[in-house]
Amino acid sequence: MRIHLTSVFVDDQETALRFYTDVLGFVKKHDVPLGVDRWLTVVSPEDPEGTELLLEPSGHPAVGPYRAALVQDGIPAASFAVDDVRAEFERLRALGVRFTQEPLETGTVTTAVLDDTCGNLVQIMHSE
């Protein structure tokens, strides 16, 4: 068994697609129209057949309170591995990305948390 798909709820799929591809560096995998919404996934360019991230519409009534509670408590909705958290932090900050947590080393793990502009906090991390 392996993880094939996971998702983050987003306010606007087109805005999310631009952020997750143009800023974070993922690539679009699937873009299937489903009425007013889309089945819209991105993947890592380093693993195009790997785990897909679904940019899922946030229209369900439970999504708003759920995401608000996570953001208020500083809890990331997703976590992405990077080779160098500090370098990625500097690259993303230069692109105007807002961080809620600058790089933090805790033992063998370094993390930082950013605002994805689509209603979520996202953690980047590296483990030695």
Side-chain angles (χ1 to χ4, degrees):
M1 187 178 303
R2 65 187 189 279
I3 298 171
H4 170 71
L5 177 80
T6 190
S7 65
V8 291
F9 293 108
V10 298
D11 298 329
D12 178 274
Q13 287 184 298
E14 191 59 37
T15 299
L17 179 61
R18 282 192 306 272
F19 183 81
Y20 279 80
T21 57
D22 296 346
V23 177
L24 296 185
F26 292 105
V27 294
K28 182 170 56 173
K29 174 87 178 205
H30 295 288
D31 189 352
V32 180
L34 298 171
V36 297
D37 296 317
R38 298 144 65 184
W39 180 263
L40 183 59
T41 66
V42 296
V43 294
S44 169
E46 298 170 15
D47 190 10
E49 299 306 315
T51 305
E52 295 178 46
L53 178 66
L54 174 63
L55 304 177
E56 190 161 0
S58 62
H60 189 282
V63 173
Y66 167 74
R67 286 194 314 166
L70 290 180
V71 169
Q72 180 177 349
D73 291 344
I75 299 171
S79 181
F80 304 132
V82 298
D83 292 332
D84 184 332
V85 172
R86 292 189 186 286
E88 194 65 14
F89 168 80
E90 293 299 336
R91 181 187 80 80
L92 293 171
R93 189 168 63 172
L95 292 172
V97 173
R98 185 178 76 81
F99 280 82
T100 61
Q101 176 202 302
E102 294 194 4
L104 176 66
E105 292 180 22
T106 53
T108 60
V109 177
T110 303
T111 61
V113 178
L114 60 96
D115 179 340
D116 78 350
T117 73
C118 305
N120 305 292
L121 298 179
V122 172
Q123 176 178 270
I124 56 173
M125 61 90 55
H126 176 77
S127 178
E128 307 219 6

